[in-house]
Amino acid sequence: MRIVLVGPPGAGKGTQAVRLAKELNIPHISTGDLFRANISQQTELGKLAKSYMDAGNLVPDEVTIAMAKDRMEQPDAHPGFLLDGFPRNVSQAEALDELLKNEGIKLDAVLDLEVSEDEVVKRIAGRRICRNDSSHVFHVTYTPPKVEGVCDVCGGELYQRDDDSEDTVRTRLEVYHTQTEPIIDYYKAQGLVRTISSLGPVDEVTTRALHALKRDEDDEKK
Ligand code: AP5
Ligand code: MG
């Protein structure tokens, strides 16, 4: 399956993506995680991306699309992938369509995670991620690690993301509403959007997501 996950910052895209990717046996491709890996390796791309990310703005399309394309072309992504945080505006969505068209493949679904702004603020304020791999995500009260400050998955140090400050989160939400939300209509026009609530326990949201994606497969069989 080829799936795009969309939703505001803190909606639980990364949390759900890890579980869905495992369940569906496809790689989880997060442009945010790819940028953070570049930042920790101090690459040129990382240096460029950091200034945009710390301000809560989008990294320019040209470098983002090239990075996403490169990752999607890796052999493990041939059978399918779960995109988290890409595309993030209509021009990225158009570039993705073009890319898929050239390969003769299509998206199967766009999973839209709905959550209130109040909940987003609570989730982001308590989020802690791992220094070794930013896809290892915890929350100090909702999904705490077994040992405070230590990643359950790899033992790495947990820390708060630089862009999780109150001011930056406000900008990220604004960028989401103005630039990312329009892709939902773009994909609605293609009949791909499945909207689910991202509220409630993590396991329940995963079940809801799998159900919504399964509905796609069932529809295809009809
Ligand atoms: P990115 O890393 O993609 O950040 P984001 O979209 O702002 O989303 P988040 O990662 O903040 O939230 P999430 O939905 O993944 O939530 P999570 O699962 O962690 O992008 C960062 C930056 O990179 C961008 O601002 C931009 O600068 C740049 N960038 C990335 N992609 C780009 C692109 N395509 N184009 C241009 N620039 C790009 O969950 C949040 C918290 O809630 C966690 O603590 C978690 O434990 C908790 N939680 C999750 N689910 C639940 C639940 N059901 N109940 C209780 N708590 C929960
Ligand atoms: Mg994320």
Side-chain angles (χ1 to χ4, degrees):
M1 283 190 100
R2 293 180 185 85
I3 304 163
V4 166
L5 260 183
V6 67
K13 299 183 295 298
T15 303
Q16 292 304 325
V18 169
R19 295 156 156 260
L20 295 172
K22 200 170 161 200
E23 188 69 32
L24 301 168
N25 201 21
I26 47 176
H28 165 208
I29 301 181
S30 156
T31 40
D33 287 343
L34 291 172
F35 283 134
R36 281 184 288 275
N38 273 279
I39 292 172
S40 64
Q41 288 153 19
Q42 299 184 330
T43 67
E44 285 307 310
L45 175 60
K47 282 177 206 157
L48 171 89
K50 187 166 170 44
S51 58
Y52 292 95
M53 290 169 80
D54 284 354
N57 292 317
L58 296 187
V59 180
D61 283 348
E62 203 185 310
V63 288
T64 304
I65 292 165
M67 179 183 74
K69 179 174 184 287
D70 188 58
R71 179 63 188 89
M72 279 184 276
E73 283 172 354
Q74 302 296 312
D76 66 330
H78 287 170
F81 47 71
L82 179 58
L83 295 177
D84 159 12
F86 181 87
R88 230 180 173 91
N89 59 27
V90 172
S91 62
Q92 291 183 12
E94 287 168 348
L96 175 62
D97 270 353
E98 190 62 31
L99 210 102
L100 298 176
K101 202 171 109 198
N102 290 340
E103 300 290 325
I105 50 183
K106 287 191 302 183
L107 285 177
D108 295 292
V110 173
L111 190 66
D112 167 29
L113 299 184
E114 255 185 2
V115 62
S116 65
E117 215 140 296
D118 280 357
E119 181 68 11
V120 157
V121 170
K122 284 188 215 152
R123 287 186 183 184
I124 289 183
R127 171 167 49 196
R128 299 293 181 270
I129 64 165
C130 177
R131 286 252 178 243
N132 296 339
D133 183 336
S134 71
S135 73
H136 303 163
V137 180
F138 302 86
H139 189 283
V140 289
T141 47
Y142 295 146
T143 52
K146 292 190 185 88
V147 179
E148 196 188 321
V150 180
C151 177
D152 285 356
V153 185
C154 69
E157 181 202 352
L158 298 182
Y159 75 106
Q160 189 158 26
R161 264 168 56 173
D162 291 345
D163 60 345
D164 277 353
S165 68
E166 210 183 309
D167 269 3
T168 310
V169 169
R170 211 172 297 129
T171 309
R172 282 161 59 203
L173 277 166
E174 205 179 295
V175 167
Y176 177 75
H177 293 310
T178 55
Q179 301 193 47
T180 308
E181 254 177 2
I183 73 167
I184 298 176
D185 280 340
Y186 176 89
Y187 285 127
K188 272 187 182 160
Q190 299 183 18
L192 290 172
V193 178
R194 301 284 177 264
T195 302
I196 62 160
S197 164
S198 188
L199 291 177
V202 172
D203 283 348
E204 278 180 25
V205 180
T206 309
T207 305
R208 235 174 266 152
L210 286 169
H211 194 259
L213 295 170
K214 180 98 177 28
R215 211 173 66 207
D216 273 357
E217 280 184 348
D218 293 345
D219 285 351
E220 255 172 44
K221 281 181 202 146
K222 277 180 198 155

